[in-house]
Amino acid sequence: MISPQNHQNRPSGNSGHGHPSAGPKPSRLYRNRERGRIFGVCAGLADYFGISPFLVRIAAVIAVFMFPPPTIICYLLATLLIDRAPAYQYESDAEKEFWRQLRLKPSESLSRLRHRYREQEQRIRNMEAFVTSSEAKLHRAFRDLES
């Protein structure tokens, strides 16, 4: 089950310099130098789309043979424009999967979150109904008599 609960406890990325975007963004495209061969562009694309880096590299090699100048220019531009992946670790595989699904299928992720929060809202309504009911007042009165 994909869950956003772990990312809520993480610092917001505000480094105290007034730049809320200064921290790592799990849903952003980064170059992955650890898994990369040259500059990490293919590995970063693979991470972003949740596919094997091998497949992205094969596509890149085919593109180099079919369209050499545009492919090389695009690769170099990607190297310059895409930031390196920060030293960021997900707290769990579930959190990593949540962010990957958010990138790949944002509407499904939004639908899943809406459903989850509707369930939470219903639970809260049920609790409010109980707390404001005469039964809850009766339980409180008995508890007060015991002490």
Side-chain angles (χ1 to χ4, degrees), residues 60-81:
V61 168
I62 291 170
V64 164
F65 284 117
M66 293 180 71
F67 315 102
T71 303
I72 293 170
I73 290 170
C74 286
Y75 188 87
L76 293 175
L77 281 174
T79 301
L80 294 173
L81 297 176

Side-chain angles (χ1 to χ4, degrees), residues 24-36:
K25 295 180 184 79
S27 62
R28 186 170 172 198
L29 172 63
Y30 290 109
R31 288 185 294 129
N32 187 337
R33 291 296 306 249
E34 283 112 30
R35 294 177 53 201

Side-chain angles (χ1 to χ4, degrees), residues 18 41 52 78 82 91-92 109 111 118 120 122 131 133-134 144:
V41 174
S52 168
I82 300 172
E91 293 179 9
S92 68
S109 298
S111 174
R118 279 188 198 129
Q120 294 291 337
Q122 187 59 44
V131 168
S133 71
S134 58
D144 291 342

Side-chain angles (χ1 to χ4, degrees), residues 119-137:
E119 289 175 346
Q120 294 291 337
E121 185 177 0
Q122 187 59 44
R123 286 182 183 170
I124 290 171
R125 284 181 183 165
N126 292 342
M127 286 189 289
E128 286 175 345
F130 175 75
V131 168
T132 58
S133 71
S134 58
E135 184 180 344
K137 291 175 185 174

